[in-house]
């Protein structure tokens, strides 16, 4: 049995929640790149990871979402990204201490391919560098998250697959009237087919949408692929309060949509922006009941 099959053999696998807000609660400045804290404040990053394991996550991610050289092209410490990635895996593994699996996070480059802000060879090289560092450090799998562009997602999948690790690939559905397409206009059907063809082991959606909005997206992904589905929804849609982004969904409200999400085909469930260990503990209690 593959690792992926094993993790979902007895029902949905529970993932973690948001990291950025938890790090901010521990002193990370708004606007600072969280990933470099893997070197500067490893203890505080480990606290966040451990809080999710303690809340019941069977799979935790790593604080490496932005640790690629395209996203950090102007960061003064960009030459330390290999260390940042390796430290991110090491921190999550210490926190997991054998109680949870560590799936290493890879996010987008944050530059538009279509308008020429970045080119294909540069993006591919950035993803290859990051995927190799994460694999070398002993990640159990790689999770590609928050992708809006199918080409970019495909480059990341190829780079991740080259490590030999299982690969999860997620896009962010936050656009269109029904919030059922990515910023680049990709539909769940198009994404599921392309991600499956590219050889990812799990097809997912994360961020951008509340859990209620991700129920129909999940059903459409599931109908378009034979791979297991991974969903990490936000705690509702973001709202602005002054300059602050807030999420209003409570853990109880979030959990009230869990059965619908699982019925729609989700095998891996967790939270994205606005969620915290209390959400994961509530999901754990519901799954165990
Ligand atoms: Zn998010």
């Amino acid at each position: 049995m593959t690792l992926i099959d094993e993790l979902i053999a007895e029902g949905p696998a529970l993932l973690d929640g948001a990291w950025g807000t938890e790090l901010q609660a521990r002193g990370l400045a708004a606007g600072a790149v969280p990933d470099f804290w893997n070197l500067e404040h490893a203890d505080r990053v480990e606290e966040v990871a451990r809080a999710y394991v303690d809340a019941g996550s069977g799979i935790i991610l790593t604080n490496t979402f932005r640790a690629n050289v395209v996203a950090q092209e102007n960061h003064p410490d960009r030459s330390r990204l290999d260390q940042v990635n390796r430290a991110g895996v090491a921190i999550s593994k210490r926190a997991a201490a054998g109680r949870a699996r560590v799936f290493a996070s890879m996010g987008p480059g944050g530059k538009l391919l279509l308008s020429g802000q970045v080119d294909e060879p540069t993006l591919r090289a950035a993803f290859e560098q990051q995927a190799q560092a994460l694999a070398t450090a002993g990640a159990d799998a790689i999770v590609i998250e928050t992708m809006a562009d199918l080409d970019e997602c495909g480059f990341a999948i190829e780079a991740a697959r080259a490590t030999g690790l299982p690969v999860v690939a997620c896009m962010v559905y936050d656009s269109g009237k029904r919030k059922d397409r990515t910023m680049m206009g990709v539909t769940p059907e198009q994404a599921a087919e392309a991600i499956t063809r590219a050889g990812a082991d799990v097809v997912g959606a994360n961020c951008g949408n509340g859990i209620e909005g991700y129920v129909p997206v999940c059903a459409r992904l599931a109908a378009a692929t034979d791979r297991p589905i991974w969903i990490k929804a936000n705690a509702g849609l973001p709202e602005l309060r002054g300059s602050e982004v807030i999420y209003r969904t409570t853990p109880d409200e979030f959990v009230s949509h869990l059965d619908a999400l699982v019925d729609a085909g989700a095998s891996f469930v967790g939270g994205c922006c606005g969620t915290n260990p209390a959400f994961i503990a509530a999901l754990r209690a519901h799954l165990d009941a």
Side-chain angles (χ1 to χ4, degrees):
M1 200 188 281
T2 66
L3 171 65
I4 296 297
D5 289 340
E6 194 184 304
L7 288 168
I8 57 177
E10 285 166 17
L14 185 57
L15 309 169
D16 58 11
W19 286 55
T21 37
E22 293 301 295
L23 291 169
Q24 282 169 9
R26 290 165 174 81
L28 178 76
V33 183
D35 309 50
F36 289 95
W37 264 32
N38 294 346
L39 304 180
E40 294 152 11
H41 295 292
D43 52 334
R44 296 186 220 173
V45 179
E46 191 175 330
E47 272 177 34
V48 174
R50 189 174 299 107
Y52 282 120
V53 180
D54 290 344
S57 300
I59 296 166
I60 58 169
L61 273 50
T62 55
N63 183 38
T64 55
F65 176 74
R66 294 169 187 79
N68 72 71
V69 76
V70 170
Q72 302 307 329
E73 74 175 351
N74 297 317
H75 197 286
D77 288 331
R78 62 191 175 280
S79 64
R80 303 179 78 196
L81 284 170
D82 278 350
Q83 285 166 266
V84 168
N85 280 298
R86 289 197 303 267
V89 174
I91 289 165
S92 288
K93 287 181 75 160
R94 276 203 302 277
R99 296 179 295 161
R101 297 287 185 161
V102 173
F103 281 29
S105 169
M106 288 176 53
K111 306 219 166 17
L112 292 175
L113 263 169
L114 266 177
S115 62
Q117 289 177 346
V118 65
D119 61 26
E120 173 175 339
T122 306
L123 260 184
R124 284 186 181 276
F127 290 143
E128 281 161 17
Q129 180 192 355
Q130 184 179 21
Q132 290 299 331
L134 296 169
T136 303
D140 293 307
I142 292 178
V143 187
I144 295 153
E145 301 186 281
T146 325
M147 287 286 171
D149 183 302
L150 259 188
D151 287 333
E152 179 170 10
C153 187
F155 305 154
I157 292 171
E158 270 188 56
R161 285 192 70 201
T163 66
L165 292 174
V167 177
V168 182
C170 310
M171 301 196 86
V172 49
Y173 299 89
D174 58 357
S175 300
K177 258 204 317 268
R178 284 173 297 173
K179 301 224 178 290
D180 62 349
R181 41 193 72 213
T182 75
M183 191 180 68
M184 313 304 293
V186 180
T187 65
E189 289 79 11
Q190 290 168 332
E193 282 160 22
I195 288 169
T196 303
R197 213 178 318 118
D201 302 279
V202 179
V203 174
N206 77 293
C207 208
N209 213 322
I211 186 166
E212 206 173 350
Y214 265 151
V215 170
V217 169
C218 177
R220 290 170 63 184
L221 289 172
T225 182
D226 58 356
R227 307 295 153 89
I229 307 297
W230 165 296
I231 304 285
K232 273 184 143 219
N234 288 348
L237 295 174
E239 294 174 33
L240 273 181
R241 188 169 59 196
S243 61
E244 197 193 356
V245 179
I246 55 167
Y247 297 88
R248 290 193 189 277
T249 302
T250 66
D252 283 348
E253 287 163 1
F254 198 87
V255 166
S256 71
H257 298 286
L258 178 60
D259 290 344
L261 192 65
V262 171
D263 287 346
S267 296
F268 294 87
V269 293
C272 201
C273 302
T275 67
N276 58 41
F279 284 72
I280 300 306
L283 290 169
R284 177 82 276 158
H286 188 84
L287 287 172
D288 289 347

